[in-house]
Amino acid sequence: MFRRKLSSKMSRNKVSSRKLLSKKGASVHKLSPLCLLLRFFSVITFFSLSVTTTANDLLIHDATVIDVRTGETSINDILIRNDKIVSVGTVSAAELSTEAKIINATGQYVIPGLWDMHVHLTFFPELKDRLPAWYIANGVTSVRDMGSPLDEVLEFREQLSREGQVAPRIWIAGPMVDGSPRLFDGSGAFTPNISIAVNSTDEMVASVNYLAAKGVNLIKPYISLSLETFTVLSQQAKRHHLPIAGHIPNRVSLAEAVEAGIDDIQHLGGVHARVDCPHSSKMEGLPKVKASAISCSDLIKQFVEKEVWHTPTLVLSVGAYALNLPEDKVWFSASDQLSASLTQHFEELRFKYGAKFYESKSAWGYEMTQKMHEAGVKFLAGSDSPPSFNLKPGFGLHAELSALVHAGLSPLQALQTATLNPATFFNVKQTQGTIAVGSVADLVLLDANPLLDIANTQKINTVISQGRVFDRAALDVLLEQ
């Protein structure tokens, strides 16, 4: 990137009479002084400053822009002003401020910033302050926190929203709404106090009202609720126009949860789905849950008819071994940031739940995802990091995209689960999830085409997030934090 200043030798009127790009954005006008300057700096993406702000105009020049709605690509300019996209396509020099910054993105592919729709920001205190930078370094510019103490995550979100902070946009559920007994009751390092117990319908109304008043973006039910309290949770959440995304309570069937109004089911439905849609290889030791009174195929039809989203978290359920992650040194590097006791515990889990343990789970997870995908079920990408021993927040989202492609989604469809679909889920697709005029400028510049190979989402050159631009050198620094 370099700073563009119009000198006295380059009159503003003369430059403004030239278009930077043709109508289709495919060629540069030969006589434009600005374009000659761009060509002179054609090998430069950034000058010595690794992180800059977009308080002034930022022009991404000559990029291959990916429309995640259709999969179409076009070579265009993207003009950003005050963290908003103000133009895609034809940009004249007259539209730029005298202090405009320019990224020459020839040969690079631009996608919307990625979302991870299942994270836990406060789960491990020793990781909490490092997570935001890891997400940005991996192109994850928005996250949905699926369970944290309310006051702590509200304060954390407010802190990270201050100017100069390196962090994704954060959408929160607050505490998981559970019954008694609670699993996440603060009794251990792996069961932090990230839930509340609600055991009556009156308590449920009061609890949902309180969470809504505090500013949560969704309500997350958990496993000990009754059908009665779960139904009231759904009714009250909808009165506040809050989506319901979470687990299916053990005493509620999948079909009942859908009828009650759940909007997004985590982990493919968990144990419930394994009971309702069993795999040929038997899975031992499943907890007792209420089965649906309809067939698996009818259940999947119900998902489609009721427009229920699914966040599969395949990277968690199929296991790291099915994705060859133990061979990737980066994957487990986050464990270096943990305390000695947690690191030891994770190592024990790695060996206890090895490749053999995940064999049937992996086959079932891929098969179930494929069945639902073929039926028209809508998916959201989420990694559930960092609670499992499959750590590496940020990186896990890319592994999830690869797993979704393995399960039968096309690279475009997988990309949509982390861009367009989350924005649709939160009803913000007018301003997020696509590269369009009026959208926030959360963008990722890639060195290769993700539509040809979803693994190319990891070939990140530049990330633009909340008015800040991070080049490759800056991203590498974030990864080391």
Side-chain angles (χ1 to χ4, degrees):
M1 180 186 296
F2 55 91
R3 191 179 295 270
R4 170 188 174 272
K5 292 186 179 180
L6 291 176
S7 67
S8 58
K9 294 181 180 180
M10 188 185 298
S11 73
R12 192 170 301 177
N13 290 337
K14 184 176 181 181
V15 174
S16 66
S17 67
R18 301 286 190 260
K19 295 292 184 180
L20 286 179
L21 298 175
S22 68
K23 190 170 184 180
K24 291 185 178 179
S27 62
V28 178
H29 197 291
K30 290 182 179 180
L31 299 180
S32 168
L34 181 54
C35 291
L36 290 174
L37 191 60
L38 281 168
R39 287 185 175 186
F40 180 74
F41 286 102
S42 63
V43 298
I44 298 177
T45 302
F46 288 93
F47 68 126
S48 58
L49 190 62
S50 291
V51 181
T52 60
T53 65
T54 59
N56 299 307
D57 288 355
L58 172 67
L59 179 69
I60 302 175
H61 172 65
D62 200 34
T64 301
V65 180
I66 295 177
D67 187 337
V68 295
R69 295 167 296 189
T70 64
E72 295 179 354
T73 61
S74 60
I75 298 176
N76 276 314
D77 282 1
I78 303 172
L79 179 58
I80 299 167
R81 183 173 295 144
N82 297 322
D83 194 29
K84 289 288 180 68
I85 297 174
V86 297
S87 180
V88 179
T90 302
V91 178
S92 68
E95 295 178 75
L96 302 179
S97 68
T98 57
E99 295 293 314
K101 301 178 179 70
I102 303 171
I103 297 176
N104 189 346
T106 302
Q108 294 176 8
Y109 297 81
V110 186
I111 61 173
L114 300 170
W115 296 57
D116 190 328
M117 290 290 278
H118 197 128
V119 307
H120 293 275
L121 295 172
T122 67
F123 202 92
F124 294 125
E126 56 264 64
L127 285 180
K128 176 182 169 183
D129 292 332
R130 296 179 172 91
L131 296 182
W134 285 344
Y135 287 120
I136 295 300
N138 282 280
V140 178
T141 58
S142 294
V143 298
R144 184 178 70 172
D145 185 273
M146 292 296 286
S148 287
L150 182 60
D151 290 340
E152 182 180 359
V153 74
L154 285 171
E155 181 182 354
F156 194 44
R157 181 169 69 174
E158 194 280 328
Q159 171 193 329
L160 293 176
S161 70
R162 296 170 192 163
E163 186 175 353
Q165 293 293 315
V166 178
R169 302 178 196 272
I170 300 172
W171 306 73
I172 64 171
M176 299 184 290
V177 181
D178 205 359
S180 296
R182 292 186 297 144
L183 175 60
F184 290 96
D185 59 0
S187 60
F190 288 86
T191 53
N193 189 16
I194 59 174
S195 69
I196 57 174
V198 180
N199 295 304
S200 73
T201 56
D202 288 343
E203 287 179 0
M204 184 62 74
V205 170
S207 296
V208 174
N209 288 348
Y210 178 75
L211 292 172
K214 295 291 283 186
V216 302
N217 304 111
L218 68 148
I219 303 293
K220 180 180 180 180
Y222 208 59
I223 61 175
S224 293
L225 296 176
S226 66
L227 177 57
E228 187 178 25
T229 53
F230 179 86
T231 301
V232 172
L233 176 150
S234 177
Q235 294 170 343
Q236 200 64 17
K238 293 185 186 305
R239 289 190 179 99
H240 291 284
H241 307 288
L242 292 172
I244 304 110
H247 291 233
I248 309 302
N250 292 347
R251 291 178 285 171
V252 179
S253 74
L254 256 175
E256 288 172 337
V258 172
E259 287 296 332
I262 193 166
D263 296 294
D264 174 25
I265 297 171
Q266 307 305 291
H267 318 305
L268 298 174
V271 177
H272 288 76
R274 289 179 171 86
V275 170
D276 292 340
C277 303
H279 188 260
S280 55
S281 55
K282 188 177 180 181
M283 288 175 279
E284 302 289 346
L286 294 178
K288 185 177 181 180
V289 299
K290 186 176 183 179
S292 297
I294 58 178
S295 68
C296 178
S297 59
D298 286 341
L299 183 63
I300 293 174
K301 288 178 183 177
Q302 188 184 40
F303 296 153
V304 177
E305 291 169 358
K306 298 289 186 178
E307 298 184 331
V308 176
W309 297 89
H310 274 262
T311 305
T313 62
L314 286 174
V315 70
L316 175 68
S317 62
V318 306
Y321 292 90
L323 300 169
N324 297 318
L325 295 177
E327 305 301 320
D328 194 314
K329 294 180 180 179
V330 177
W331 179 252
F332 289 109
S333 64
S335 61
D336 295 337
Q337 308 293 339
L338 294 172
S339 64
S341 60
L342 285 178
T343 299
Q344 180 180 352
H345 188 70
F346 276 129
E347 284 299 306
E348 293 171 355
L349 289 176
R350 279 184 61 192
F351 288 104
K352 179 179 180 180
Y353 300 111
K356 186 172 179 59
F357 172 82
Y358 278 104
E359 281 180 1
S360 60
K361 290 186 67 177
S362 299
W364 179 86
Y366 285 135
E367 181 183 287
M368 188 66 180
T369 303
Q370 183 175 18
K371 282 182 179 179
M372 289 198 292
H373 170 60
E374 291 174 348
V377 174
K378 303 175 296 182
F379 293 108
L380 301 166
S383 65
D384 204 4
S385 62
S388 75
F389 65 89
N390 303 331
L391 274 171
K392 204 52 184 178
F395 183 85
L397 190 277
H398 296 280
E400 181 69 11
L401 297 181
S402 295
L404 288 168
V405 170
H406 184 91
L409 278 68
S410 70
L412 172 62
Q413 290 165 337
L415 198 56
Q416 289 170 340
T417 69
T419 54
L420 179 63
N421 292 3
T424 302
F425 175 83
F426 276 122
N427 197 28
V428 293
K429 64 179 181 179
Q430 296 303 315
T431 57
Q432 290 187 253
T434 61
I435 301 173
V437 173
S439 292
V440 296
D442 289 347
L443 302 171
V444 182
L445 279 64
L446 304 172
D447 287 328
N449 189 350
L451 300 179
L452 299 179
D453 184 348
I454 196 62
N456 288 335
T457 60
Q458 299 178 63
K459 297 180 179 179
I460 298 173
N461 181 288
T462 304
V463 174
I464 302 173
S465 172
Q466 302 195 68
R468 304 186 74 185
V469 183
F470 302 86
D471 71 355
R472 186 62 259 171
L475 297 174
D476 288 339
V477 171
L478 295 181
L479 286 173
E480 294 170 1
Q481 290 186 5

